[in-house]
Amino acid sequence: MAKVSRGAREAVEDYIRNVYNPYRLLSRFFLDVSAFRQLQARTASLIAGYSALHFFDHTLYPSDPLEVYVHFQHRREVVDWLVTAGFAFVPSYKQSPDLEFTVTEGYADEIEPSTPWLCGVLTFASARGDRPITIRVMISANTPMELILHTHSSEPQVLQCMDVPISQLPSACMINVISYEKAYCLFPRATLHKRRSLLTSCLRGGYIGSARDIAAIHGRGYEMVDGLNSEEICATTTTSTFVLGWRWIDDCASWVINFDTTDIFPKSSTCAPSLPLTHDPVAVCGFSLRYNIGTKASISFVVLEGPLLRYSYTLGEPDLANRLTIALCSRSPVWAGKFWDEELRGICKQAILGAGNFSELGAVTIRSWIA
């Protein structure tokens, strides 16, 4: 509709701006929504899980918690803000009721050694009238996007192949992310139009998601599919329900909604040589969705991190991570104290163009991202 005329485009944009408004979601949990969004901007925290899904499909389940995925180095600022906002810490049976101790040392009490990407889960509760409100703080070891890609399986496994971690998700419809500036639906045709969710299997053939998780998604109106037919596998990016190949979070296969960020500012750089970050780090994250007749669907990614970056990033192509490491090291020595997060998106595009070759899977999404 937005392509019909200027008037139609303005009408569509006005509709999206009003209906897909972060205040409609966040006002259920916070009295001061602007303050929370400012917290998101300062700490690069993300919202995912059922709340992000319901933001896109306009459903409401009052009992669902708000899942906030935070960087390890920002956990204290997020926790302090929640306490100031009137939320009380609700320790699990394995956690100390002493919040200071738990945030400092005991955050990982209930975390299994097999989940190194997750440092801890802290639950906070409050009440709005007679309605309980729950916030779940998910502390990531590297980057919230890595945690999101892992978390939505109840028993995630990591297979090592040439030191490249491969993670599997039970449900593609759960991969929706909300930052302070944008909302990302990575499989919009499947999630919102077809209401289909692709189950992934581990390479040994067993489902990673528990029966409880699968039943919960199915109970909310989604058809659970465990495989793709030949038409879906060979479909183009514009017609595919589940776009295969190398993906970026904001490529042409995703639906991205821009929020009004007036008076919402990310944290300024504390290091003089570094440029202030004008976007959320998740905007430079990606992954790869592959499909094999035997192992079926799997999502893989590598984590880019290092002393020249303030944050860590997920990438769908291991070779790109190597190229970026070389490119970053050639720009400035570590002792110079400069972080390259603000310029990383441009450096990514230069590295991809310099490689000169696009994989058959994902060529369209790659070209749309670097355009």
Side-chain angles (χ1 to χ4, degrees), residues 15-16 20 55-58 176-177 182-189 192 247 249-258:
Y15 172 82
I16 292 176
Y20 295 97
F55 171 83
F56 280 102
D57 70 4
H58 300 300
N176 308 287
V177 180
K182 297 180 181 181
Y184 306 86
C185 182
L186 274 62
F187 298 94
R189 185 181 295 271
L192 306 176
R247 295 284 311 277
I249 191 172
D250 61 351
D251 60 27
C252 63
S254 296
W255 183 26
V256 182
I257 299 174
N258 295 308

Side-chain angles (χ1 to χ4, degrees), residues 2 57 104 141 182 240 245 293 337:
D57 70 4
T104 304
K182 297 180 181 181
S240 176
I293 298 299

Side-chain angles (χ1 to χ4, degrees), residues 213-224:
D213 297 328
I214 294 173
I217 298 172
H218 179 73
R220 302 190 186 204
Y222 285 86
E223 175 192 2
M224 313 302 292

Side-chain angles (χ1 to χ4, degrees), residues 296-340:
K296 299 195 176 179
S298 64
I299 285 182
S300 64
F301 59 88
V302 296
V303 176
L304 175 70
E305 58 185 344
L308 296 176
L309 294 171
R310 185 181 301 277
Y311 294 108
S312 300
Y313 302 83
T314 61
L315 301 174
E317 177 56 50
D319 182 61
L320 177 60
N322 296 331
R323 290 176 178 273
L324 289 175
T325 300
I326 295 172
L328 288 169
C329 291
S330 68
R331 278 169 165 76
S332 67
V334 174
W335 54 260
K338 176 177 172 60
F339 294 116
W340 291 88

Side-chain angles (χ1 to χ4, degrees), residues 147-192:
L147 184 51
I148 290 168
L149 291 175
H150 275 298
T151 293
H152 296 295
S153 59
S154 60
E155 299 173 6
Q157 299 181 19
V158 176
L159 304 179
Q160 295 296 334
C161 177
M162 297 177 65
D163 295 324
V164 177
I166 302 177
S167 65
Q168 285 76 33
L169 297 167
S171 176
C173 78
M174 295 298 290
I175 314 178
N176 308 287
V177 180
I178 300 175
S179 71
Y180 79 93
E181 61 176 352
K182 297 180 181 181
Y184 306 86
C185 182
L186 274 62
F187 298 94
R189 185 181 295 271
T191 302
L192 306 176

Side-chain angles (χ1 to χ4, degrees), residues 153-291:
S153 59
S154 60
E155 299 173 6
Q157 299 181 19
V158 176
L159 304 179
Q160 295 296 334
C161 177
M162 297 177 65
D163 295 324
V164 177
I166 302 177
S167 65
Q168 285 76 33
L169 297 167
S171 176
C173 78
M174 295 298 290
I175 314 178
N176 308 287
V177 180
I178 300 175
S179 71
Y180 79 93
E181 61 176 352
K182 297 180 181 181
Y184 306 86
C185 182
L186 274 62
F187 298 94
R189 185 181 295 271
T191 302
L192 306 176
H193 180 58
K194 301 291 186 179
R195 296 191 71 82
R196 301 176 73 217
S197 189
L198 178 64
L199 292 169
T200 61
S201 59
C202 69
L203 298 184
R204 293 193 299 272
Y207 289 122
I208 295 176
S210 68
R212 179 191 61 188
D213 297 328
I214 294 173
I217 298 172
H218 179 73
R220 302 190 186 204
Y222 285 86
E223 175 192 2
M224 313 302 292
V225 295
D226 64 353
L228 303 178
N229 58 43
S230 57
E231 291 183 359
E232 291 175 312
I233 295 173
C234 299
T236 64
T237 301
T238 56
T239 61
S240 176
T241 304
F242 299 100
V243 178
L244 301 176
W246 184 2
R247 295 284 311 277
W248 296 92
I249 191 172
D250 61 351
D251 60 27
C252 63
S254 296
W255 183 26
V256 182
I257 299 174
N258 295 308
F259 295 151
D260 180 4
T261 57
T262 304
D263 299 327
I264 304 294
F265 304 102
K267 188 174 183 178
S268 59
S269 174
T270 57
C271 182
S274 305
L275 295 179
L277 196 59
T278 59
H279 59 267
D280 192 282
V282 75
V284 198
C285 284
F287 62 94
S288 182
L289 175 63
R290 303 290 177 175
Y291 190 82

